[in-house]
Amino acid sequence: MVVMTLLKKRMEYSLDQKNVILAISLSTAIIVLWSLFMVPNQPTKEQILADKDKIENAETPKIETTEIVKEISRDQALEESERILFENENIKGSISLMGGQIDDLEFRKFKETQDGEKNVILLNPRKNKNGYYVETGWAISNKNIEVPNSKSVWTTEGNKKLTPNTPIKLVWVNDQNIKFEKEISIDDKYLFTVKQTIKNKNEKIYNFYPYGQIIRNEIPEITNFFILHEGPLGVFTTPDGNTDLIEKDYDDIQDKSFSVNADAGFLGITDKFWITTLIPQENSKFKANFDFKNKFLTNFIETEATQVGANETKSNEIKILLAAKEVRVIDEYSEKLKIEKLDLIIDWGILYFLTRPMWSALDFFYQLLGNYGLAIIAVTICTRILLFPLAQLSFKSMSRMKLLTPQIQRIKDLHKNDKKQIQVEMMQLYRREKINPMSGCLPIIPMVFLFFCLYKVLFVTIDSRFKPFYGYLTDLSSRDPSSLFNLFGLINWTPPDFLLIGWLPLFFGFSMWAQQKLNPPPTDPIQQKIFAFFPLFLTVILAPFPSGLLLYWCTNNILQMGQQYLVLRMTEVKTT
């Protein structure tokens, strides 16, 4: 009986209160809920705890923590060591023969700015302040055996330039006559394959442990927006059979290192649009580490030794993915290399099951129409079609309630001193006309999720970067650059960010105002003022959002108003 009483009271809310709920739900959804839904998965306590099994007779390779980073330019740093150039259609750079490090890479098809000529640079030499580089090698517990390190100078055999058709070989020999080789190849996109070989030319047996590591001198310029992870990450299949994504911020690693034992997976450091990834040899067990010792270190070391007997040769293969986070390319590598969850290097968030299909829909229409803005409009139309039955039910209810406004007002006038009787009379009216006041709120929930999914896709994927629409909208991943406060460019003045309220936000606000005119008006004067303020409020709040998102919302509002207008014209309400 208590439950039934509560339900009855819930249904006895007035029309004005329903309008307030609807408005507050919409504004709260836009401003607040995205922060609740887009927080990335947090690892459990068991995932965070390092595996207690230790690697016998080996330790994770260390960087030179006492090395002083020189304040020299990138070009000067590149000139300090002899280099092997590499190049394909997508990337170019060089490999330092000192340490055999990949420490110079830039993307040929991606520019730093929309109209600029300078390529995006991913890797930098270690002696530069912004050093960011990758190295591979062998660790050994026997301190009397010399292994190549960051100061070892390698020599080349054969090809002097690395291309998809010409792999290179680097050679280094220690004082014990053990020969170390690196055969490095590159495909036509972003994948390096490093085949490390040890040739033992003496009569002793040694245990070596292959490793790979990514080193970054400093925290780069990051977005620092918590719906996007930037920093160390990895996907690890642990001995218990679970495969989990681990994400650590830079400040997390500065406070506490992280390590985990794994049977498979990958690890790396991610930026917003770029990724540096180490993929250990297939079917190998390894220990992964995220650490900070004057520099940020993401590395792995195999936990089972590669035993090299007398006059024996052994090899190990490590793959290095230095890529722009293009969804199609990452998917190709995931399938080709058979790497589980490789696509999670793109931060799809916990709504993966919605954000990924949203990207697929945008990509389909972009390939079909050739314009990302038109693709957003097409996706908006599809979502409206998908939600048509739900919206139709909602609009029918709201339009019929609008026609009931005079009767509702008459009830309030007759029983203005008896609120309980007003509620009773209104509930009887709703039952007689077969109207559910709460049905007007039904489309809000799916629209909130679709709104945030599109926002997530526009924010984290490189596909929308620098994608134009028409006219002055040259980048749908950034905010509308125009502003009412300089008369849209007529005045030679650049307003501060909080005054950048352009054509799209203004049109969005106008469409919100127009929508209000189709809805039942509140009878309470205070509520009328609140409702009148909402379009202006949302215009200011949404102005900094990506213009592609506002394009979606404006299109959605237009379609919604059209549907609502038709329903209002077609609806006949029995008022007797």
Side-chain angles (χ1 to χ4, degrees):
M1 290 297 295
V2 174
V3 173
M4 293 300 296
T5 302
L6 290 175
L7 289 175
K8 183 177 180 181
K9 289 183 177 180
R10 179 70 174 173
M11 294 299 296
E12 290 178 350
Y13 283 149
S14 68
L15 172 63
D16 295 341
Q17 290 169 316
K18 302 303 179 297
N19 288 335
V20 172
I21 291 173
L22 181 65
I24 292 176
S25 298
L26 177 61
S27 59
T28 303
I30 294 173
I31 303 168
V32 177
L33 289 185
W34 61 271
S35 66
L36 301 177
F37 289 116
M38 292 302 173
V39 177
N41 282 327
Q42 297 298 319
T44 64
K45 182 178 180 180
E46 290 75 17
Q47 293 168 347
I48 294 176
L49 291 175
D51 194 301
K52 293 183 179 180
D53 296 332
K54 294 184 179 180
I55 306 170
E56 295 183 0
N57 300 321
E59 58 182 28
T60 303
K62 298 178 180 179
I63 61 175
E64 300 86 348
T65 57
T66 58
E67 179 184 14
I68 298 176
V69 177
K70 298 181 179 179
E71 296 289 339
I72 60 176
S73 69
R74 185 174 189 274
D75 291 338
Q76 289 175 318
L78 290 173
E79 292 174 357
E80 288 203 348
S81 65
E82 190 176 351
R83 297 185 164 272
I84 295 292
L85 300 179
F86 63 80
E87 184 176 19
N88 64 18
E89 294 179 357
N90 292 279
I91 56 176
K92 66 178 181 178
S94 61
I95 299 171
S96 173
L97 292 183
M98 179 178 289
Q101 300 166 343
I102 305 175
D103 62 354
D104 168 31
L105 184 143
E106 60 184 80
F107 296 103
R108 303 182 68 176
K109 296 183 178 180
F110 296 98
K111 307 299 180 182
E112 289 188 350
T113 57
Q114 188 167 11
D115 299 321
E117 296 295 328
K118 189 175 180 181
N119 293 335
V120 170
I121 295 174
L122 179 64
L123 302 183
N124 290 294
R126 64 191 178 97
K127 291 189 176 181
N128 178 250
K129 181 180 180 180
N130 298 318
Y132 185 30
Y133 51 99
V134 184
E135 64 182 22
T136 60
W138 300 89
I140 190 170
S141 58
N142 188 341
K143 302 302 181 182
N144 296 319
I145 302 301
E146 192 178 6
V147 293
N149 56 38
S150 61
K151 293 184 173 62
S152 302
V153 179
W154 295 72
T155 58
T156 59
E157 290 184 359
N159 298 319
K160 302 298 182 182
K161 183 176 181 179
L162 175 60
T163 70
N165 298 319
T166 57
I168 62 169
K169 179 187 285 189
L170 306 183
V171 177
W172 185 83
V173 181
N174 68 7
D175 294 337
Q176 291 82 21
N177 203 27
I178 301 175
K179 187 177 184 180
F180 297 85
E181 296 179 354
K182 289 186 181 183
E183 295 181 26
I184 305 176
S185 59
I186 186 176
D187 69 358
D188 59 350
K189 292 185 176 69
Y190 305 116
L191 184 67
F192 291 77
T193 301
V194 180
K195 182 181 179 182
Q196 302 186 116
T197 302
I198 296 177
K199 295 182 178 179
N200 181 15
K201 296 184 179 181
N202 58 44
E203 301 302 321
K204 295 183 179 181
I205 299 174
Y206 302 102
N207 288 334
F208 294 92
Y209 297 82
Y211 73 87
Q213 63 180 359
I214 303 167
I215 302 169
R216 192 166 218 166
N217 289 351
E218 294 188 346
I219 299 176
E221 183 178 347
I222 60 177
T223 308
N224 202 27
F225 197 29
F226 60 85
I227 69 167
L228 173 70
H229 172 68
E230 294 175 274
L233 89 167
V235 170
F236 305 108
T237 300
T238 51
D240 58 9
N242 293 324
T243 301
D244 298 302
L245 170 67
I246 301 296
E247 296 175 327
K248 295 291 182 180
D249 295 333
Y250 289 105
D251 52 359
D252 294 335
I253 301 304
Q254 286 178 315
D255 294 337
K256 184 179 180 180
S257 63
F258 168 84
S259 65
V260 63
N261 279 20
D263 294 341
F266 63 88
L267 64 157
I269 297 178
T270 180
D271 300 321
K272 182 176 182 179
F273 295 130
W274 330 108
I275 184 70
T276 304
T277 313
L278 294 169
I279 306 169
Q281 181 169 274
E282 190 176 0
N283 299 321
S284 65
K285 298 181 179 181
F286 60 91
K287 182 178 181 180
N289 299 277
F290 301 158
D291 203 356
F292 177 78
K293 294 180 179 177
N294 296 332
K295 304 175 184 180
F296 293 95
L297 173 62
T298 298
N299 72 13
F300 78 90
I301 183 169
E302 291 194 11
T303 56
E304 295 179 354
T306 298
Q307 189 177 83
V308 185
N311 299 306
E312 191 175 18
T313 299
K314 290 288 182 71
S315 297
N316 179 272
E317 187 173 277
I318 299 173
K319 297 187 184 300
I320 304 170
L321 185 62
L322 307 171
K325 294 196 286 190
E326 301 175 78
V327 180
R328 287 179 177 272
V329 174
I330 300 303
D331 286 345
E332 289 175 8
Y333 280 128
S334 180
E335 183 177 354
K336 177 182 177 181
L337 303 177
K338 296 180 174 58
I339 301 175
E340 186 177 2
K341 298 184 179 181
L342 183 62
D343 64 333
L344 294 185
I345 62 178
I346 300 169
D347 192 355
W348 300 107
I350 61 173
L351 294 179
Y352 177 95
F353 63 95
L354 291 177
T355 52
R356 190 62 202 264
M358 177 65 77
W359 175 87
S360 297
L362 283 170
D363 182 66
F364 171 79
F365 284 111
Y366 176 64
Q367 301 298 326
L368 181 66
L369 302 173
N371 183 286
Y372 213 76
L374 294 179
I376 291 173
I377 292 173
V379 168
T380 308
I381 294 173
C382 289
T383 58
R384 292 306 310 177
I385 294 173
L386 183 66
L387 297 175
F388 183 85
L390 193 63
Q392 193 78 350
L393 177 64
S394 170
F395 294 151
K396 282 183 179 180
S397 176
M398 293 178 68
S399 61
R400 293 173 70 188
M401 288 178 67
K402 184 175 182 179
L403 295 177
L404 291 178
T405 301
Q407 297 183 58
I408 294 173
Q409 187 59 48
R410 185 163 58 249
I411 291 172
K412 290 182 177 181
D413 292 340
L414 289 174
H415 307 284
K416 56 184 176 181
N417 296 322
D418 191 347
K419 292 184 178 180
K420 184 176 180 179
Q421 187 61 32
I422 290 176
Q423 293 175 350
V424 171
E425 293 286 343
M426 288 179 62
M427 288 304 299
Q428 290 178 353
L429 177 63
Y430 292 153
R431 291 192 190 100
R432 185 168 62 249
E433 301 296 340
K434 298 180 180 180
I435 295 176
N436 182 358
M438 294 301 295
S439 63
C441 301
L442 288 178
I444 290 179
I445 296 176
M447 289 305 299
V448 165
F449 281 95
L450 291 172
F451 178 86
F452 292 131
C453 286
L454 180 62
Y455 181 42
K456 182 81 170 177
V457 169
L458 291 176
F459 192 81
V460 306
T461 62
I462 199 172
D463 301 75
S464 62
R465 184 176 185 257
F466 299 156
K467 289 293 193 303
F469 184 42
Y470 293 111
Y472 75 100
L473 292 175
T474 58
D475 182 9
L476 290 171
S477 65
S478 63
R479 68 187 297 167
D480 187 327
S482 62
S483 176
L484 170 67
F485 294 93
N486 64 0
L487 299 182
F488 307 104
L490 294 178
I491 300 176
N492 187 21
W493 173 63
T494 302
D497 285 349
F498 70 92
L499 292 180
L500 286 177
I501 302 176
W503 283 111
L504 267 181
L506 289 173
F507 184 80
F508 166 79
F510 173 78
S511 66
M512 289 292 296
W513 173 82
Q515 271 188 297
Q516 286 186 352
K517 299 304 178 182
L518 295 175
N519 293 330
T523 56
D524 183 80
I526 296 178
Q527 293 179 13
Q528 288 180 0
K529 293 179 181 180
I530 293 175
F531 271 77
F533 176 72
F534 265 118
L536 176 62
F537 173 71
L538 293 178
T539 297
V540 175
I541 290 297
L542 292 181
F545 279 53
S547 53
L549 192 66
L550 282 169
L551 179 63
Y552 160 82
W553 204 255
C554 290
T555 305
N556 180 76
N557 283 353
I558 292 172
L559 296 174
Q560 184 169 311
M561 284 189 293
Q563 183 181 0
Q564 191 171 354
Y565 177 77
L566 291 175
V567 170
L568 183 62
R569 297 282 295 180
M570 295 169 61
T571 301
E572 294 181 1
V573 181
K574 182 179 178 182
T575 58
T576 59

